[in-house]
Amino acid sequence: MRLGLIGTGRIGTMHARTLLNVDGVTELRITDALPERASRLAEDLRAEGWAADAADTEDDLYSGGVDAVVITAATHAHAALIHGALDREVPVFCEKPVALDVPGTRGVVEHDEAVRTPLQIGFQRRYDAGYRAARDAIRSGRLGWLHTLRAVTGDQGPPPAEYIATSGGLFRDCSIHDFDVLRWITGREVVSVCARGANRGAAFFAEGDDVDTGAALLEFDDGLLATVTATRYNGAGHDVRLEVCGSQDAMFVGNDDRAPLPSAEEGVTWPSAEPYRTFLERFRSAYVAELTEFVEVAAGRSPNPCTAAEALEALYVAEACDLSRRTGRPVTIEEVRA
């Protein structure tokens, strides 16, 4: 299978090597908004013994012939690039988000539903072993009925200032992973939210109409409550965890020896390993599993595990949280869906 890759930032560069290690992938064609970056990556891959070449433009990439395409370009370009792949009937994987706003995402969903070409959206936490184990435990009933979910996402350090203007904000860019995975593990829908945000770090967050720390209380359609917190300044390390608390038992995702959880208790030496520093470290195995399945989806051997319509549902929650933190009031999902 000959794959295309659009976007050669840090996650695109990582995905390039991951894809070339997937069984059945024979070649990678690469393009980027900066053609020289695509050329450098292709040269590096060839030097490592891989079959890779660079295309100057999106049209050049497709005219050379690809069986599927992976989009890891800048967020603001996602929707147009997805439409381009669907127009050409090329199976496509795109990192979240589908688009920066609801109308743009709805447009992609409508296009996706009108064609038979697979479109898989990248929410890699669905492929993390811990989240999968929690989902299995919930669905089996082993935990009893759920009463509380507590989700945490903390970056060790902030992104570059220029990233904020196109990120969509903390809830859409960061917490949306939690919103998606909470829906996925529970099989329930969020009905209302109450969210707050704060700026305690660099001024560029507030200047970009964003926050560097946020907290949201979610209510699901069965009465289940979840808290979702996020920050760009978790100095101890990159922290992504989920506490799943039920009437009979509990389960804790991400509670391994690299979790950045230094104890305040005397004599406790756990965790002893080097903490995660980035999401690329924390979810390396999940990314590999996700892209491996996309190759199966593109080949027609596996159903699509994460559609654009599911990504839209997570975006509704993020939109509601951002509206709530701006207005200081609870917001229902129906309000942002309308």
Side-chain angles (χ1 to χ4, degrees):
M1 181 178 288
R2 195 182 199 198
L3 297 184
L5 177 72
I6 304 177
T8 59
R10 61 174 177 168
I11 194 167
T13 298
M14 183 185 78
H15 281 358
R17 290 179 172 83
T18 298
L19 290 164
L20 286 166
N21 273 289
V22 175
D23 288 343
V25 175
T26 58
E27 185 178 352
L28 197 63
R29 301 207 75 217
I30 305 166
T31 193
D32 191 274
L34 299 174
E36 61 273 18
R37 291 206 318 182
S39 295
R40 283 197 301 269
L41 178 56
E43 289 172 5
D44 289 345
L45 293 171
R46 287 196 298 272
E48 296 168 16
W50 300 107
D53 67 353
D56 287 338
T57 67
E58 179 188 357
D59 285 339
D60 291 340
L61 181 143
Y62 286 110
S63 65
V66 292
D67 299 303
V69 67
V70 172
I71 296 171
T72 58
T75 296
H76 69 270
H78 285 185
L81 292 171
I82 292 171
H83 285 302
L86 295 180
D87 284 340
R88 295 174 173 90
E89 298 183 346
V90 174
V92 55
F93 173 95
C94 185
E95 284 294 342
K96 69 82 195 165
V98 173
L100 282 175
D101 57 19
V102 168
T105 304
R106 282 176 174 162
V108 170
V109 171
E110 290 168 2
H111 193 173
D112 181 34
E113 292 176 346
V115 300
R116 298 178 62 86
T117 303
L119 166 58
Q120 179 180 336
I121 305 303
F123 280 106
Q124 87 282 354
R125 294 188 192 183
R126 295 182 178 212
Y127 289 86
D128 178 78
Y131 284 102
R132 290 202 157 203
R135 185 177 191 263
D136 290 344
I138 290 169
R139 300 300 178 93
S140 72
R142 181 168 66 82
L143 305 183
W145 49 266
L146 301 183
H147 56 80
T148 310
L149 303 173
R150 303 184 188 98
V152 176
T153 297
D155 293 330
Q156 185 178 30
E162 58 270 19
Y163 175 77
I164 298 305
T166 60
S167 71
L170 185 68
F171 290 116
R172 297 184 192 89
D173 176 57
C174 184
S175 296
I176 197 167
H177 281 289
D178 292 300
F179 303 149
D180 174 74
V181 85
L182 290 175
R183 293 182 61 253
W184 182 72
I185 68 170
T186 62
R188 312 300 309 192
E189 298 293 346
V190 178
V191 295
S192 67
V193 309
C194 184
R196 296 291 184 271
N199 281 302
R200 305 293 303 280
F204 64 75
F205 287 101
E207 292 167 357
D209 196 26
D210 194 10
V211 294
D212 61 49
T213 301
L217 175 64
L218 314 183
E219 181 182 358
F220 287 80
D221 55 10
D222 63 347
L224 173 64
L225 297 178
T227 59
V228 177
T229 61
T231 184
R232 303 293 194 181
Y233 286 97
N234 196 64
H238 185 74
D239 187 17
V240 177
R241 289 174 291 111
L242 174 64
E243 301 176 12
V244 182
C245 305
S247 60
Q248 296 181 19
D249 206 346
M251 184 168 279
F252 300 85
V253 177
N255 211 22
D256 62 34
D257 203 43
R258 293 192 66 186
L261 301 173
S263 177
E265 304 303 324
E266 185 177 355
V268 176
T269 59
W270 183 94
S272 58
E274 183 73 15
Y276 295 108
R277 299 301 179 187
T278 70
F279 67 94
L280 297 178
E281 291 182 20
R282 170 68 176 82
F283 290 107
R284 174 62 182 157
S285 296
Y287 282 121
V288 171
E290 179 181 53
L291 291 174
T292 299
E293 180 150 18
F294 170 64
V295 171
E296 294 296 301
V297 171
R301 294 188 293 263
S302 181
N304 188 348
C306 188
T307 65
E310 289 185 272
L312 177 58
E313 293 300 324
L315 179 60
Y316 284 140
V317 181
E319 289 282 322
C321 286
D322 199 52
L323 180 58
S324 178
R325 71 101 176 166
R326 290 175 184 278
T327 61
R329 63 175 176 80
V331 174
T332 67
I333 301 304
E334 286 305 313
E335 183 176 345
V336 297
R337 190 191 297 272

